[in-house]
Amino acid sequence: MAMAEPRVVVPLRRREEKRGAERFDMELPLAVAGGQGGVTRNLSLSGLAFTSRQPYVVGEHIAITVEYLLDGHNFPLRCEAEVVRCDPCEGGFTIGARLASAFLE
């Protein structure tokens, strides 16, 4: 009887990954209450990254509205988030934020 080849199991996350949920690359317009607009870079159940022309302070709590378009209908996703990083990038800043709450309007 032939022996089956061993299967290689590839984890969904790398061991050094600190995020609690898988991120998905998406470019969606967003607005920050009291601030300027921006564009998401990626989203997950626990956080998001976006680009902005203005910086935000690490630890700052922000209200974000992500404009999600599906089948011709706009579904604004309103989120409360805490800024966890703010890095300079071409044309502005890349902001990383941990979601505290989110709901569809």
Side-chain angles (χ1 to χ4, degrees), residues 13-99:
R13 293 185 300 173
R14 287 179 249 140
R15 291 179 197 251
E16 66 273 6
E17 181 66 61
K18 294 180 182 177
R19 295 180 180 123
E22 185 176 359
R23 297 243 170 169
F24 299 94
D25 291 340
M26 297 181 130
E27 291 186 354
L28 301 170
L30 65 78
V32 177
Q36 297 180 350
V39 176
T40 64
R41 296 187 65 176
N42 58 57
L43 296 166
S44 79
L45 291 174
S46 61
L48 75 153
F50 65 96
T51 55
S52 173
R53 292 191 187 270
Q54 77 180 65
Y56 291 89
V57 177
V58 172
E60 181 177 359
H61 291 267
I62 56 177
I64 301 169
T65 302
V66 177
E67 300 297 336
Y68 183 73
L69 187 65
L70 178 65
D71 295 331
H73 298 286
N74 187 25
F75 296 95
L77 175 61
R78 301 198 188 283
C79 313
E80 297 290 328
E82 178 184 355
V83 176
V84 294
R85 68 180 175 84
C86 179
D87 301 321
C89 69
E90 186 175 328
F93 300 87
T94 298
I95 312 301
R98 181 181 307 116
L99 295 178

